[in-house]
Amino acid sequence: MTRKPSLVLNRRQALLAAGAGAATLAMPTVLRAQDKSLKVGVYGGYFKDSFDTNIFPEFTKATGIAVESVAEPTGEAWLVQLEQAGRAGVAPADVSMMSQVAMRKGLQTELWQPLDPAKIGNFDAILPPFTVKYDDGRVAGVGAVAWYITLVSNTDAFPEAPDSWATFWDADKKDKLGLLALVSNSFLLEVTAKTFFGGTDILSTDDGILKVMDKLAELKPNVQLWYRDEAQFEQALKSGEIPMGQYYHDVTGLAAADGFPVRSTFPKEGGISDSGCWAVTKASQKLNLATTFIDYMTQPEIAGLLARKVGTAPVLKRDVLDLTDKEFAAVSSEIEPIVPRYDLYVEKSDWLNQKWTELIVG
Amino acid sequence: MSAPARTNASGQAALAFPAVMLAAFFVVPFGLMIAVSFFSREQGGFYTPVLTTANYQRFLSWFFADILLFSVGLSALVSAVCLTIGAPFTYLLSRLPRRSQVPWLVAMMAVLSLSEVIIGFAWSTLLSRTAGLSNLFVAIGLMDGPEAWSPSFTAVLCGMVYQAFPYSILVLYPAFSRLDPSLSEAARTLGASPVRAFFNVIVPSLRNALVATFIIVFVFALGAYLLPQLLGRPQHWTLSVLITDQAVYQSNMPFAAAMAVFLVASSLILVLLSTMFGGRREAK
Amino acid sequence: MSTLDLVAVTKRYGDIVAVDDATLSVPPGSFVCLLGPSGCGKTTLLRIIAGLESASSGEVKFEGERIDATPVHRRDFGMVFQSLALFPHLSVRENIAYPLKIRGRGKAEREKRVAELLDLVRLPGVADRPITQLSGGQRQRVAIARALSVSPKLFLLDEPLSALDAKLREAMQVELRQLQERLGITTIVVTHDQREAMTMADAIVVMEGGRILQMDRPIDVYRKPASPFVADFLGQTNCLVAKPGKGGAEIAGGTIPGLQLGAGRREAEISVRPEDVVIRPAGDAPIPATVEFVRDMGSAVEIYLSTEAGRMIAQRASGHDALAVGDEVSLSIAPDAVVVFSEGVAR
């Protein structure tokens, strides 16, 4: 789901905020000189700042379309705003970056205007999990950015890199793990299912989910910290206070490059892949401009730019990209990822949340 | 002839302002919250204004009763600790010459300017295994090896007391500094030791201030949602943490509102109980 | 043997000397007033006696034993504070019984004692009232009763009557003195009111600037003040400068026949109380004067006079011939009514 802005800036955000601050002074977000303009909703904070700095000016230069970027609030408030605006016929944004769960919720109310794949040059290069379609096959959203949550560890505490998520369950990990606190952002049900039950299909039934939760409950003694705030775990991981856990692949890589004793590992079961889509709300009158925007954003060069400047994983196939192996490894992996069962978080959100809270609090 | 009428009108105007403010910033939001708590949750959407009691039914379970009880108990404990440390501290502070009081008060106010996040991070570092106090104890030979004291219940308590302590001083200080210093001197000339004089005379004469402090810290602690996350294990998460989860992460406003109504109701009941308890002695 | 002895007691706060070398003996059963203007150190001295302050140097002895190191709550002295310091959260009964309760006395004994004390201070029937419902005079009595409830060895009062109105204050002065005589308890009262001191005390200790200037019976302090300050502080007085003259002493513009200033003194400061200044018709007496102002207070008349030696005040019982402003008169002063100060003349 959505990556939440951290309570405390982590290093990457701080660096970027500094750069964005300087850039904002020189250049207003809205380029009024242009006749054609497009309102683009992006997660507020890190994403918006980096898009404003690195991506949107290039787009305006290439297409002559001015971009007014709108900061999306966290949670699903943006979806609610789009729904309400849709009924009123006014669009707070033409194109929005939406979480996978929000995309699926929008499908139910036909919130998204269908996109024409023919007008998106690299549509076929987009990896299938990143495209969201209506039941009848119409395209509702196209992959925008992706990121991985992987198995991270402190290299001082664990000289050998672990190779499987199963290592979390080992007795010697007592009080050593830091895991995300919410069912909808940790995706630990999928991890457990893939690691011990041969895949995420078991999650299709309530009984299956409860069985997976029982397995997950065995993990509790090993968890020192159930975190909501990224910076708290990042700090603890770097110092070795909490030497193992799940965390973002890109940020961990940056910390390692800075000399901190941390590593990010794609276990053999795969890293957890999460992503956002570009989608056009039905209230927008600018489907054509929006399609031009999406077409631009799905070019391999732009995916490369995003990988290098923003640190997100490409949603395109590896072979069309101009990334070096090192650049690719910094943001992604060719091991088949664990793809979250987003449908669960749409259909069973409250039930899952209740069971999950009982699981870890109880 | 018009003069009294005008005074009356301006008197009402003066009352109107706080009334409007109260309505705008308390009655209306609280009313909205109660209304939302009866609305239907739309899974995969937001909520629709169709009345239902489902949100309350979901809350009425041992699971949430347990959490509510824990939250109330934790807040009461934070209040009690703040009073236990704060009352003697403020008493001694108010007996110092005014010039020596200032640095203490400034230091207290400085803590107020710290955000919950900074306090949480500072305490989690202070109580950590890798950089915390236990290393100091190891260095002076009191412990064999460093230990992680956070996350734990003690860590949550320390963080919350640290955060609430300046507020308790803020409420206690005026009452203590107005207190007639000859009260405790009188008790001593009558045969009471200084400690006994403090408990027999100072504490009861400041009863109202102490009750007020307890209530303020209690309500303040009940609203804390970051420190229990940052310093506690899941079993130390308060109702406020779960409300935040529902409101921010689950977008389940009706259920969050229902939980908040319970939280407000239980704190109101406790406030009423403590003022009644405080008032009964007064009337005697 | 005296009950309380202070030997060279000094109290300094930084550079400020609040009590300067105070030496004092209080005989058993006596009623002593510490009298002086505000800031003279009398309250500090009382607090040192009570143990609420410790002396910077010197000794405090009680019945011959040094008590400097004895904490307040073990001294068993009763004290009434200027603010009274009644415990607002307790009833009258609980206030008075407080010291008894601390000493572990039984309930029956406490009840009996509270009743006795309320009788003693003439305040029956208020035992169950909260302090907040008492009048100023009633609170005063409760404070006294509380201080006396364990029969203290020494009874200390710090400006106890200052909060009362004038009439009530005068009545309480008499009552307090009668109470003390009945109990025979050694008592020390701090006051700035000379009338209060004159009314109640066996002995008055006059203080100024931290020093004890004089300790004597009230009438002696009044009649034989040790210094012009004492003379001036206790009632009104006429302070004059006198020189030796033929057959007595001379003041500016007049003489006091028969007054001896002491061998070899070329001038001396003298004090004459207003009631010792006798007014006669002009020319009948050695000091000519003019009436400046007449203050008729009913029981007595004060006459302000201008003389060459400056303004003088005379006082006489009413019933004499009325004087009017501007009348020329003359004054006579009997030599035995004059106090001659041994100090030099301050200019």
Side-chain angles (χ1 to χ4, degrees):
Chain A
M1 286 184 88
T2 318
R3 278 178 73 168
K4 303 290 183 267
S6 174
L7 295 169
V8 175
L9 286 180
N10 59 34
R11 194 192 136 277
R12 185 175 72 173
Q13 286 168 317
L15 276 180
L16 194 111
T24 323
L25 284 179
M27 172 202 67
T29 310
V30 192
L31 300 174
R32 298 202 180 279
Q34 310 292 337
D35 297 338
K36 294 182 286 182
S37 73
L38 195 63
K39 278 193 270 187
V40 179
V42 190
Y43 302 148
Y46 171 70
F47 271 111
K48 180 175 181 297
D49 293 343
S50 47
F51 273 78
D52 281 345
T53 311
N54 299 309
I55 311 294
F56 293 151
E58 298 298 319
F59 169 70
T60 303
K61 220 182 281 174
T63 61
I65 301 170
V67 170
E68 181 185 344
S69 65
V70 180
E72 292 179 21
T74 56
E76 277 150 37
W78 186 242
L79 180 70
V80 176
Q81 285 183 34
L82 290 181
E83 295 264 15
Q84 285 165 348
R87 283 195 283 270
V90 214
D94 300 300
V95 190
S96 296
M97 186 188 283
M98 299 304 298
S99 74
Q100 295 291 340
V101 171
M103 276 308 299
R104 280 159 179 80
K105 288 182 179 177
L107 290 181
Q108 297 177 340
T109 56
E110 292 256 344
L111 180 62
W112 317 120
Q113 296 193 37
L115 301 171
D116 183 357
K119 291 186 181 162
I120 299 167
N122 292 286
F123 186 79
D124 292 335
I126 300 170
L127 293 165
F130 300 119
T131 302
V132 177
K133 293 178 180 172
Y134 285 103
D135 287 343
D136 56 13
R138 286 173 298 154
V139 176
V142 168
V145 287
W147 57 84
Y148 284 93
I149 300 171
T150 54
L151 202 173
V152 295
S153 47
N154 183 292
T155 52
D156 291 341
F158 298 101
E160 294 282 315
D163 68 340
S164 164
W165 291 105
T167 188
F168 281 176
W169 276 261
D170 292 346
D172 66 342
K173 303 300 182 312
K174 185 167 165 35
D175 287 340
K176 291 211 162 44
L177 303 181
L179 301 179
L180 280 153
L182 301 165
V183 65
S184 51
N185 71 3
S186 69
F187 304 115
L188 284 169
L189 289 179
E190 288 86 341
V191 168
T192 310
K194 183 99 179 259
T195 308
F196 294 100
F197 298 93
T200 57
D201 288 347
I202 186 172
L203 298 173
S204 302
T205 65
D206 289 0
D207 281 350
I209 291 173
L210 291 177
K211 220 179 271 176
V212 172
M213 281 193 174
D214 283 344
K215 181 65 189 172
L216 199 50
E218 295 170 14
L219 204 55
K220 280 172 64 184
N222 289 357
V223 182
Q224 174 78 346
L225 178 74
W226 291 95
Y227 69 94
R228 288 175 184 73
D229 183 80
E230 293 177 21
Q232 190 186 11
F233 176 62
E234 187 176 329
Q235 184 52 40
L237 179 70
K238 285 177 184 169
S239 69
E241 180 77 19
I242 300 170
M244 189 177 267
Q246 58 172 174
Y247 198 52
Y248 298 99
H249 175 67
D250 46 10
V251 187
T252 311
L254 283 173
D258 278 350
F260 288 101
V262 296
R263 75 162 82 78
S264 167
T265 313
F266 280 87
K268 61 185 184 206
E269 299 87 1
I272 304 162
S273 148
D274 196 8
S275 57
C277 279
W278 295 117
V280 184
T281 70
K282 65 180 171 196
S284 171
Q285 310 293 323
K286 298 179 176 172
L287 181 60
N288 283 336
L289 292 185
T291 310
T292 308
F293 174 79
I294 295 171
D295 176 46
Y296 178 85
M297 294 303 291
T298 46
Q299 297 172 89
E301 308 85 76
I302 301 300
L305 193 63
L306 283 170
R308 291 184 197 103
K309 298 275 186 174
V310 190
T312 53
V315 296
L316 303 178
K317 288 175 185 152
R318 175 79 175 92
D319 51 17
V320 303
L321 298 169
D322 62 349
L323 294 173
T324 65
D325 285 351
K326 197 179 165 211
E327 284 170 340
F328 183 76
V331 293
S332 190
S333 157
E334 285 184 281
I335 300 177
E336 191 197 338
I338 299 178
V339 180
R341 288 287 302 266
Y342 297 112
D343 56 324
L344 296 179
Y345 306 108
V346 178
E347 288 153 21
K348 297 180 179 173
S349 134
D350 289 351
W351 182 79
L352 268 182
N353 171 262
Q354 181 69 28
K355 289 290 167 199
W356 172 269
T357 310
E358 286 172 17
L359 168 78
I360 67 169
V361 174
Chain B
M1 188 199 97
S2 67
R6 196 178 308 148
T7 320
N8 202 355
S10 72
Q12 282 182 357
L15 267 183
F17 180 71
V20 167
M21 289 292 128
L22 191 71
F25 292 107
F26 182 75
V27 177
V28 170
F30 192 68
L32 282 177
M33 188 177 87
I34 292 178
V36 168
S37 73
F38 284 104
F39 286 172
S40 308
R41 151 81 158 163
E42 247 182 38
Q43 203 160 257
F46 209 48
Y47 58 78
T48 46
V50 174
L51 295 188
T52 173
T53 54
N55 303 305
Y56 288 92
Q57 280 164 12
R58 179 174 170 194
F59 186 83
L60 293 173
S61 65
W62 285 116
F63 177 73
F64 285 110
D66 217 37
I67 289 172
L68 179 62
L69 210 65
F70 173 80
S71 309
V72 168
L74 175 66
S75 302
L77 187 61
V78 170
S79 284
V81 174
C82 277
L83 273 188
T84 314
I85 310 173
F89 176 88
T90 315
Y91 176 66
L92 295 176
L93 181 69
S94 67
R95 296 289 155 257
L96 288 178
R98 189 141 304 250
R99 219 170 351 146
S100 331
Q101 294 182 17
V102 174
W104 285 99
L105 288 172
V106 169
M108 285 293 140
M109 296 310 109
V111 174
L112 281 185
S113 69
L114 298 180
S115 77
E116 216 178 331
V117 179
I118 293 178
I119 292 174
F121 272 75
W123 276 95
S124 69
T125 306
L126 208 58
L127 299 176
S128 69
R129 176 179 56 81
T130 42
L133 281 175
S134 60
N135 292 282
L136 199 68
F137 290 144
V138 173
I140 58 175
L142 286 177
M143 285 170 60
D144 291 334
E147 278 176 25
W149 290 331
S150 169
S152 69
F153 180 73
T154 316
V156 176
L157 191 63
C158 283
M160 289 179 69
V161 166
Y162 179 84
Q163 191 192 18
F165 190 69
Y167 288 95
S168 61
I169 304 300
L170 213 59
V171 184
L172 290 174
Y173 180 77
F176 273 85
S177 58
R178 271 201 309 269
L179 185 74
D180 179 2
S182 55
L183 278 182
S184 82
E185 290 180 349
R188 282 156 65 206
T189 62
L190 295 170
S193 64
V195 172
R196 192 158 181 174
F198 181 79
F199 284 108
N200 280 349
V201 177
I202 306 299
V203 171
S205 10
L206 292 169
R207 175 181 207 88
N208 287 341
L210 296 173
V211 170
T213 308
F214 186 90
I215 291 174
I216 285 175
V217 173
F218 177 82
V219 171
F220 179 77
L222 211 50
Y225 70 97
L226 276 175
L227 291 177
Q229 293 175 40
L230 294 177
L231 298 170
R233 291 175 180 279
Q235 60 266 36
H236 309 132
W237 291 349
T238 56
L239 198 56
S240 298
V241 176
L242 297 191
I243 292 175
T244 314
D245 280 354
Q246 288 299 330
V248 175
Y249 297 94
Q250 300 295 318
S251 300
N252 192 345
M253 284 300 167
F255 187 49
M259 288 201 280
V261 168
F262 270 99
L263 194 64
V264 171
S266 50
S267 63
L268 276 181
I269 289 169
L270 266 139
V271 168
L272 280 179
L273 280 180
S274 38
T275 42
M276 271 164 60
F277 172 69
R280 212 173 27 234
R281 276 298 300 247
E282 211 66 10
K284 191 176 135 186
Chain C
M1 189 180 69
S2 52
T3 296
L4 181 79
D5 286 284
L6 302 182
V7 184
V9 168
T10 299
K11 176 72 183 179
R12 289 184 206 90
Y13 297 102
D15 291 340
I16 300 159
V17 183
V19 174
D20 189 1
D21 196 23
T23 296
L24 184 70
S25 280
V26 177
S30 62
F31 194 124
V32 174
C33 274
L34 302 181
L35 177 68
S38 64
C40 72
K42 56 192 191 298
T43 294
T44 306
L45 193 58
L46 190 79
R47 290 171 61 83
I48 290 171
I49 296 168
L52 294 168
E53 309 269 353
S54 54
S56 309
S57 63
E59 297 175 7
V60 181
K61 291 183 193 166
F62 185 77
E63 294 176 340
E65 305 276 328
R66 286 196 63 170
I67 56 166
D68 312 53
T70 311
V72 190
H73 59 280
R74 301 231 176 80
R75 290 196 183 187
D76 280 339
F77 296 168
M79 180 152 173
V80 175
F81 289 78
Q82 183 167 14
S83 68
L84 303 183
L86 293 170
F87 305 142
H89 60 290
L90 298 181
S91 68
V92 169
R93 180 196 309 282
E94 290 164 328
N95 261 280
I96 298 175
Y98 181 75
L100 301 166
K101 206 167 173 183
I102 281 183
R103 287 167 177 77
R105 307 283 168 78
K107 189 172 161 83
E109 187 188 341
R110 298 203 306 259
E111 294 294 301
K112 185 165 161 266
R113 184 72 183 141
V114 168
E116 272 173 25
L117 284 158
L118 285 175
D119 274 349
L120 188 71
V121 297
R122 298 198 223 161
L123 205 61
V126 299
D128 293 315
R129 287 215 215 144
I131 291 300
T132 43
Q133 283 180 20
L134 299 183
S135 70
Q138 288 174 321
R139 289 180 195 207
Q140 188 65 59
R141 286 160 198 260
V142 174
I144 291 169
R146 184 181 69 176
L148 292 173
S149 67
V150 284
S151 308
K153 298 179 202 157
L154 191 60
F155 190 25
L156 308 172
L157 301 95
D158 184 8
E159 304 261 10
L161 309 177
S162 59
L164 305 181
D165 63 59
K167 200 156 183 175
L168 189 55
R169 188 158 65 225
E170 304 236 325
M172 281 300 292
Q173 288 164 6
V174 175
E175 215 174 299
L176 196 55
R177 172 66 205 203
Q178 288 174 333
L179 180 69
Q180 186 267 342
E181 280 180 336
R182 209 156 7 146
L183 299 174
I185 183 171
T186 311
T187 301
I188 302 175
V189 175
V190 161
T191 180
H192 64 274
D193 180 344
Q194 51 104 7
R195 262 182 85 90
E196 193 166 301
M198 300 287 290
T199 311
M200 301 191 296
D202 293 318
I204 291 178
V205 176
V206 185
M207 295 183 68
E208 195 222 352
R211 304 188 69 93
I212 292 179
L213 300 181
Q214 187 172 8
M215 174 170 176
D216 256 318
R217 294 187 306 147
I219 191 63
D220 289 338
V221 178
Y222 186 78
R223 280 282 148 213
K224 296 173 192 157
S227 71
F229 176 84
V230 177
D232 194 44
F233 193 75
L234 274 93
Q236 287 178 311
T237 196
N238 297 297
C239 276
L240 302 166
V241 177
K243 290 175 181 165
K246 281 187 202 112
E250 283 180 7
I251 60 169
T255 60
I256 304 172
L259 177 65
Q260 299 301 316
L261 299 181
R265 297 192 68 180
R266 290 171 52 203
E267 61 177 11
E269 210 164 339
I270 62 170
S271 155
V272 184
R273 294 290 177 190
E275 60 271 26
D276 295 322
V277 177
V278 181
I279 301 177
R280 295 176 173 277
D284 284 10
I287 308 166
T290 310
V291 175
E292 249 185 2
F293 186 75
V294 177
R295 184 152 83 158
D296 194 336
M297 292 176 295
S299 59
V301 182
E302 271 179 18
I303 301 116
Y304 290 56
L305 302 144
S306 87
T307 70
E308 264 184 58
R311 170 185 281 179
M312 288 177 67
I313 300 171
Q315 191 192 59
R316 60 187 191 179
S318 54
H320 289 77
D321 295 338
L323 288 168
V325 173
D327 287 355
E328 298 289 328
V329 294
S330 66
L331 310 175
S332 82
I333 295 167
D336 56 358
V338 175
V339 177
V340 179
F341 298 117
S342 51
E343 303 161 24
V345 176
R347 294 201 187 260

